[in-house]
Amino acid sequence: MPQVSAAQWVPVGPATAFAVSQTTGEVRLAWDPFVRSQHLVGATRPAKGVRTVTRARIGLRMVSEYASYRPPTSVGMTMVSGPWFFATFGGGWRFAPEERVLDGTPVAGTLATWKYSYAVRPGWLRPVAEPIGQWLLGREIRARIAAFALACTDADVLAAAERDRGADGA
């Protein structure tokens, strides 16, 4: 099964990085270049088993389900329904503490690693579609994680993430 991944270091701790990644509403739309709209189904907070409906800026729609939700270290999802060309689709985002030295000063931060796995259908299309998927999904995940990193330096996004974290009791 093909997989695409991207990693980005951010200058905030794992709990904050995780919280930024899980922002919703206008805050999410402001930083996430992939999402046009997104909402939880029958829930007010993310959790294992909760479903999310996401419409991408390019118009594709997917219903996914949290396969795991472990603040502040990881979150995983699997596609319940989505674009016809995906037989399966799933992703996981991990957040690990990592210190970097910037301008001679140690800075505590987080290495965010995002991975997506997928299979294309119909099977006979895989030899052509999977390389295209590698290129396209790779481009999307790199743009998305770069936008996430920028969001981790935005005071308004950080404040919203902290409010959400406080509401979760994390």
Side-chain angles (χ1 to χ4, degrees):
M1 186 177 310
Q3 184 178 80
V4 294
S5 64
Q8 179 74 49
W9 183 84
V10 293
V12 297
T16 300
F18 184 93
V20 168
S21 81
Q22 298 303 300
T23 53
T24 59
E26 293 302 316
V27 174
R28 180 60 168 265
L29 297 178
W31 73 259
D32 193 334
F34 181 77
V35 176
R36 179 191 303 163
S37 66
Q38 188 174 58
H39 66 273
L40 300 174
V41 178
T44 58
R45 310 296 309 161
K48 183 177 179 178
V50 170
R51 291 186 176 186
T52 302
V53 177
T54 303
R55 183 163 305 275
R57 290 198 195 272
I58 61 172
L60 299 175
R61 180 181 181 274
M62 181 181 291
V63 177
S64 58
E65 182 173 298
Y66 283 95
S68 64
Y69 188 80
R70 295 185 210 107
T73 61
S74 63
V75 62
M77 55 72 68
T78 58
M79 179 182 76
V80 175
S81 64
W84 66 269
F85 49 83
F86 283 131
T88 62
F89 187 91
W93 295 359
R94 297 199 178 278
F95 305 90
E98 183 176 293
E99 187 175 276
R100 297 261 174 115
V101 177
L102 303 176
D103 297 325
T105 304
V107 177
T110 300
L111 181 63
T113 305
W114 296 2
K115 294 181 182 180
Y116 295 99
S117 299
Y118 64 97
V120 173
R121 68 174 160 204
W124 59 265
L125 190 58
R126 288 182 182 145
V128 172
E130 287 180 350
I132 293 169
Q134 289 295 106
W135 174 79
L136 185 59
L137 288 172
R139 184 184 72 173
E140 291 296 322
I141 194 174
R142 287 187 301 276
R144 196 173 189 195
I145 204 167
F148 160 79
L150 190 57
C152 285
T153 65
D154 182 294
D156 293 334
V157 173
L158 292 172
E162 289 302 317
R163 281 192 303 274
D164 287 350
R165 236 174 85 191
D168 281 341

